[in-house]
PDB file of all heavy atoms in Angstrom:
ATOM      1  N   PRO X  37      -6.168  26.638  12.114  1.00 92.00           N
ATOM      2  CA  PRO X  37      -5.684  27.836  12.844  1.00 92.00           C
ATOM      3  C   PRO X  37      -4.437  27.533  13.627  1.00 92.00           C
ATOM      4  O   PRO X  37      -4.059  26.380  13.816  1.00 92.00           O
ATOM      5  CB  PRO X  37      -6.834  28.175  13.784  1.00 92.00           C
ATOM      6  CG  PRO X  37      -7.998  27.360  13.345  1.00 92.00           C
ATOM      7  CD  PRO X  37      -7.492  26.212  12.574  1.00 92.00           C
ATOM      8  N   ASN X  38      -3.789  28.575  14.139  1.00 92.00           N
ATOM      9  CA  ASN X  38      -2.590  28.405  14.950  1.00 92.00           C
ATOM     10  C   ASN X  38      -2.884  27.510  16.148  1.00 92.00           C
ATOM     11  O   ASN X  38      -3.921  27.610  16.775  1.00 92.00           O
ATOM     12  CB  ASN X  38      -2.104  29.754  15.489  1.00 92.00           C
ATOM     13  CG  ASN X  38      -1.562  30.618  14.374  1.00 92.00           C
ATOM     14  OD1 ASN X  38      -2.190  31.595  13.978  1.00 92.00           O
ATOM     15  ND2 ASN X  38      -0.435  30.242  13.864  1.00 92.00           N
ATOM     16  N   GLY X  39      -1.978  26.586  16.420  1.00 92.00           N
ATOM     17  CA  GLY X  39      -2.149  25.692  17.565  1.00 92.00           C
ATOM     18  C   GLY X  39      -3.111  24.541  17.318  1.00 92.00           C
ATOM     19  O   GLY X  39      -3.474  23.834  18.242  1.00 92.00           O
ATOM     20  N   ALA X  40      -3.493  24.343  16.046  1.00 94.00           N
ATOM     21  CA  ALA X  40      -4.437  23.282  15.743  1.00 94.00           C
ATOM     22  C   ALA X  40      -3.840  21.904  15.887  1.00 94.00           C
ATOM     23  O   ALA X  40      -4.533  20.903  16.035  1.00 94.00           O
ATOM     24  CB  ALA X  40      -4.998  23.456  14.331  1.00 94.00           C
ATOM     25  N   GLY X  41      -2.507  21.802  15.829  1.00 95.00           N
ATOM     26  CA  GLY X  41      -1.849  20.521  15.963  1.00 95.00           C
ATOM     27  C   GLY X  41      -1.184  20.004  14.686  1.00 95.00           C
ATOM     28  O   GLY X  41      -0.767  18.859  14.627  1.00 95.00           O
ATOM     29  N   LYS X  42      -1.045  20.878  13.683  1.00 97.00           N
ATOM     30  CA  LYS X  42      -0.467  20.471  12.412  1.00 97.00           C
ATOM     31  C   LYS X  42       0.984  20.026  12.553  1.00 97.00           C
ATOM     32  O   LYS X  42       1.362  18.947  12.107  1.00 97.00           O
ATOM     33  CB  LYS X  42      -0.558  21.641  11.401  1.00 97.00           C
ATOM     34  CG  LYS X  42      -1.968  22.213  11.264  1.00 97.00           C
ATOM     35  CD  LYS X  42      -2.006  23.373  10.297  1.00 97.00           C
ATOM     36  CE  LYS X  42      -1.259  24.602  10.733  1.00 97.00           C
ATOM     37  NZ  LYS X  42      -1.830  25.301  11.893  1.00 97.00           N
ATOM     38  N   THR X  43       1.765  20.890  13.218  1.00 97.00           N
ATOM     39  CA  THR X  43       3.190  20.546  13.374  1.00 97.00           C
ATOM     40  C   THR X  43       3.340  19.291  14.222  1.00 97.00           C
ATOM     41  O   THR X  43       4.175  18.427  13.925  1.00 97.00           O
ATOM     42  CB  THR X  43       3.931  21.735  14.018  1.00 97.00           C
ATOM     43  OG1 THR X  43       3.828  22.860  13.168  1.00 97.00           O
ATOM     44  CG2 THR X  43       5.387  21.412  14.240  1.00 97.00           C
ATOM     45  N   THR X  44       2.514  19.178  15.242  1.00 97.00           N
ATOM     46  CA  THR X  44       2.581  17.987  16.083  1.00 97.00           C
ATOM     47  C   THR X  44       2.338  16.732  15.240  1.00 97.00           C
ATOM     48  O   THR X  44       3.053  15.725  15.411  1.00 97.00           O
ATOM     49  CB  THR X  44       1.531  18.083  17.190  1.00 97.00           C
ATOM     50  OG1 THR X  44       1.707  19.307  17.908  1.00 97.00           O
ATOM     51  CG2 THR X  44       1.610  16.916  18.144  1.00 97.00           C
ATOM     52  N   GLN X  85       9.124  23.842  10.385  1.00 96.00           N
ATOM     53  CA  GLN X  85       8.484  25.158  10.407  1.00 96.00           C
ATOM     54  C   GLN X  85       9.513  26.252  10.757  1.00 96.00           C
ATOM     55  O   GLN X  85       9.537  27.313  10.153  1.00 96.00           O
ATOM     56  CB  GLN X  85       7.330  25.158  11.407  1.00 96.00           C
ATOM     57  CG  GLN X  85       6.604  26.478  11.498  1.00 96.00           C
ATOM     58  CD  GLN X  85       5.350  26.362  12.357  1.00 96.00           C
ATOM     59  OE1 GLN X  85       5.011  25.294  12.861  1.00 96.00           O
ATOM     60  NE2 GLN X  85       4.679  27.493  12.521  1.00 96.00           N
ATOM     61  N   ASN X  86      10.331  25.933  11.761  1.00 94.00           N
ATOM     62  CA  ASN X  86      11.343  26.920  12.181  1.00 94.00           C
ATOM     63  C   ASN X  86      12.715  26.575  11.605  1.00 94.00           C
ATOM     64  O   ASN X  86      13.700  26.619  12.308  1.00 94.00           O
ATOM     65  CB  ASN X  86      11.398  26.986  13.698  1.00 94.00           C
ATOM     66  CG  ASN X  86      11.564  25.605  14.315  1.00 94.00           C
ATOM     67  OD1 ASN X  86      11.237  24.604  13.687  1.00 94.00           O
ATOM     68  ND2 ASN X  86      12.063  25.525  15.518  1.00 94.00           N
ATOM     69  N   ASP X 176       6.441  21.627   6.307  1.00 96.00           N
ATOM     70  CA  ASP X 176       5.789  22.452   7.344  1.00 96.00           C
ATOM     71  C   ASP X 176       5.935  23.918   6.999  1.00 96.00           C
ATOM     72  O   ASP X 176       6.988  24.507   7.249  1.00 96.00           O
ATOM     73  CB  ASP X 176       6.389  22.142   8.715  1.00 96.00           C
ATOM     74  CG  ASP X 176       5.471  22.574   9.860  1.00 96.00           C
ATOM     75  OD1 ASP X 176       4.540  23.373   9.599  1.00 96.00           O
ATOM     76  OD2 ASP X 176       5.681  22.086  10.993  1.00 96.00           O
ATOM     77  N   GLU X 177       4.930  24.475   6.414  1.00 95.00           N
ATOM     78  CA  GLU X 177       4.901  25.896   5.987  1.00 95.00           C
ATOM     79  C   GLU X 177       6.093  26.272   5.118  1.00 95.00           C
ATOM     80  O   GLU X 177       6.898  27.133   5.488  1.00 95.00           O
ATOM     81  CB  GLU X 177       4.813  26.793   7.228  1.00 95.00           C
ATOM     82  CG  GLU X 177       3.682  26.393   8.149  1.00 95.00           C
ATOM     83  CD  GLU X 177       3.223  27.492   9.110  1.00 95.00           C
ATOM     84  OE1 GLU X 177       3.668  28.637   8.941  1.00 95.00           O
ATOM     85  OE2 GLU X 177       2.394  27.175   9.972  1.00 95.00           O
ATOM     86  N   ILE X 207       1.683  21.591   4.941  1.00 96.00           N
ATOM     87  CA  ILE X 207       1.061  22.512   5.890  1.00 96.00           C
ATOM     88  C   ILE X 207       1.262  23.907   5.355  1.00 96.00           C
ATOM     89  O   ILE X 207       2.395  24.248   4.968  1.00 96.00           O
ATOM     90  CB  ILE X 207       1.698  22.424   7.281  1.00 96.00           C
ATOM     91  CG1 ILE X 207       1.507  21.041   7.878  1.00 96.00           C
ATOM     92  CG2 ILE X 207       1.122  23.486   8.194  1.00 96.00           C
ATOM     93  CD1 ILE X 207       2.155  20.927   9.245  1.00 96.00           C
ATOM     94  N   HIS X 209      -0.364  28.216   5.717  1.00 91.00           N
ATOM     95  CA  HIS X 209      -1.402  29.148   6.097  1.00 91.00           C
ATOM     96  C   HIS X 209      -1.869  29.981   4.890  1.00 91.00           C
ATOM     97  O   HIS X 209      -2.939  30.561   4.923  1.00 91.00           O
ATOM     98  CB  HIS X 209      -0.883  30.108   7.189  1.00 91.00           C
ATOM     99  CG  HIS X 209      -0.882  29.503   8.548  1.00 91.00           C
ATOM    100  ND1 HIS X 209      -2.041  29.144   9.183  1.00 91.00           N
ATOM    101  CD2 HIS X 209       0.125  29.167   9.385  1.00 91.00           C
ATOM    102  CE1 HIS X 209      -1.736  28.619  10.388  1.00 91.00           C
ATOM    103  NE2 HIS X 209      -0.434  28.599  10.514  1.00 91.00           N
TER     104      HIS X 209
HETATM  105 MG1   MG A 302       3.118  24.564  13.218  1.00 58.05          MG
END
Side-chain angles (χ1 to χ4, degrees):
Chain X
N38 291 108
K42 307 179 293 292
T43 299
T44 305
Q85 180 172 357
N86 51 339
D176 199 343
E177 308 201 9
I207 297 180
H209 282 295

